Amino acid sequence: MKKILLFFVVFFIVKAIAAQQIPFTKSSKIYIVRHAEKETGDDPGLTEAGKKRSGNLMRTLKDKSIKRIYVTNYRRSGMTADSLRIQIGVDTVHYAVDNTGEDLLKKIQANHDSDNAILIIGHSNTIPRLIAALGILNYPQGDIPDNKFDDLFIIIHEGNEVVRVFSETYGARSGPSASMKNN
């Protein structure tokens, strides 16, 4: 009985998120990355490898016409955005870390970014859910591995329809040798 109830709760949450999706316009592009490699502690900054990755992110996206960068309130998220933010001279907007993407969607709507190219920097345990909140309802919901920092997810909309979703990698390859843990 509890499993059935849980199923319906999750089903209605997904439906509610889908109902409040932003009507993206033609040619909008959303770039999503996890923050770069981080130090340890409560609200750590980036390691040297993370700082290099931030520079790689800037070089990868500097010519993509990004109009705004969305980051969480954690230092590692903002620091990952800094190189690109400074290079292209755009604002960053802070959004609340949650598993629904609701605050992020509200911020995108409030800033009228539904027809712009934007960058979102998130965490290993929130990115899959953010992707779902942005219109990709069949995206796998599992967390990104703790030692994976090189994924660049790209969502391309045309009107309310998702035209393409794909992922690339950027910067140095990350994997088993990465010593960082958690989101």
Side-chain angles (χ1 to χ4, degrees):
M1 181 67 165
K2 287 183 182 180
K3 287 183 180 182
I4 293 171
L5 181 60
L6 179 61
F7 170 79
F8 282 112
V9 168
V10 170
F11 175 78
F12 287 114
I13 288 172
V14 168
K15 284 292 193 188
I17 290 170
Q20 61 179 302
Q21 284 183 1
I22 300 167
F24 287 95
T25 60
K26 66 180 181 175
S27 302
S28 69
K29 287 186 181 179
I30 302 170
Y31 299 90
I32 305 171
V33 298
R34 179 184 181 199
H35 63 76
E37 292 87 339
K38 66 181 179 83
E39 296 174 336
T40 58
D42 288 341
D43 189 13
L46 299 181
T47 63
E48 285 304 313
K51 292 173 185 172
K52 287 179 184 174
R53 185 168 308 284
S54 174
N56 288 327
L57 181 63
M58 181 271 298
R59 286 183 282 286
T60 300
L61 296 180
K62 70 179 181 180
D63 297 322
K64 302 294 185 190
S65 302
I66 305 268
K67 300 298 182 203
R68 197 164 337 267
I69 302 172
Y70 289 83
V71 299
T72 67
N73 288 323
Y74 290 98
R75 289 180 58 217
R76 58 192 176 268
S77 179
M79 290 175 75
T80 301
D82 280 347
S83 293
L84 181 64
R85 178 185 58 79
I86 292 166
Q87 176 72 27
I88 64 176
V90 298
D91 292 332
T92 54
V93 174
H94 289 87
Y95 69 93
V97 177
D98 63 28
N99 285 326
T100 66
E102 184 177 334
D103 189 57
L104 174 63
L105 293 175
K106 286 179 185 176
K107 299 281 173 82
I108 292 171
Q109 205 163 24
N111 286 290
H112 308 287
D113 281 331
S114 62
D115 59 351
N116 292 326
I118 60 174
L119 169 63
I120 300 167
I121 300 177
H123 302 273
S124 64
N125 62 339
T126 63
I127 288 176
R129 289 152 195 87
L130 293 177
I131 291 171
L134 291 163
I136 316 304
L137 299 179
N138 61 349
Y139 190 81
Q141 295 293 307
D143 294 352
I144 295 171
D146 286 341
N147 59 1
K148 190 96 166 95
F149 296 93
D150 59 350
D151 289 323
L152 171 62
F153 302 95
I154 304 165
I155 299 172
I156 301 173
H157 287 90
E158 233 177 66
N160 287 330
E161 300 296 318
V162 174
V163 177
R164 285 188 293 164
V165 175
F166 57 97
S167 67
E168 301 175 350
T169 58
Y170 74 100
R173 186 168 175 86
S174 64
S177 64
S179 62
M180 304 313 130
K181 287 206 153 212
N182 298 328
N183 64 354

